[in-house]
Amino acid sequence: MRYSFTEKTSHRQQETAYMLYMIIGSYFHRCSCRSKALEENLFLHYKEMPVKRQEEKEWQIIRVSEGVLGECLASMAQMNAEVFISKTDEMYVLRFYTSFEDIVVTVDDKGRYDISLVEDEMVA
């Protein structure tokens, strides 16, 4: 009988992507994800995390996201958003589409993320 040893993989990227989706999405009046299958996949990785690590990471994401989006949070609470999640070049990209500004979040394979606010060119 042959055994194959596989390297234990880290799901930090998927866990972080789900937490960012969940936290930033909660700032909107309503937020929906276009890819339910991908959303469910990310959720399952998140649920496997130890609760203590979930809480620590969530508080860190809240601090960072409120720092970046601080001025927009009141108006975001009035808006609806649609989220597109994709994976390209070892990065997860979460794009929150609104009528005025989009929020783009990237998550690398180590779970590091970047949150940016992009003004819609059609409105400007």
Side-chain angles (χ1 to χ4, degrees):
M1 182 185 288
R2 278 183 93 174
Y3 291 98
S4 67
F5 293 96
T6 58
E7 183 179 324
K8 183 178 178 183
T9 58
S10 171
H11 300 291
R12 208 170 278 154
Q13 183 180 34
Q14 292 90 345
E15 297 161 356
T16 303
Y18 185 79
M19 285 185 274
L20 286 156
Y21 160 69
M22 176 180 62
I23 291 168
I24 294 175
S26 72
Y27 297 140
F28 291 99
H29 173 68
R30 185 179 0 202
C31 185
S32 61
C33 182
R34 294 285 291 191
S35 175
K36 294 297 181 189
L38 188 51
E39 176 188 9
E40 182 69 24
N41 180 279
L42 295 175
F43 173 73
L44 293 174
H45 288 290
Y46 166 76
K47 287 302 284 181
E48 291 177 358
M49 289 177 73
V51 174
K52 179 135 177 83
R53 201 169 93 210
Q54 280 179 4
E55 292 171 353
E56 291 169 356
K57 186 73 172 182
E58 287 169 4
W59 280 113
Q60 185 234 5
I61 289 173
I62 289 169
R63 282 192 304 275
V64 171
S65 62
E66 288 181 354
V68 172
L69 305 171
E71 296 176 8
C72 303
L73 290 175
S75 61
M76 287 171 64
Q78 312 275 324
M79 294 183 199
N80 295 334
E82 191 168 31
V83 184
F84 291 87
I85 303 173
S86 60
K87 184 160 189 203
T88 58
D89 299 328
E90 303 302 317
M91 300 274 282
Y92 273 95
V93 178
L94 293 80
R95 189 168 191 115
F96 295 80
Y97 287 98
T98 70
S99 312
F100 303 101
E101 297 167 325
D102 297 339
I103 298 168
V104 179
V105 180
T106 56
V107 184
D108 73 8
D109 60 345
K110 295 194 177 6
R112 295 178 298 222
Y113 58 92
D114 180 61
I115 303 170
S116 56
L117 194 60
V118 180
E119 191 171 316
D120 189 348
E121 295 86 23
M122 300 298 283
V123 176

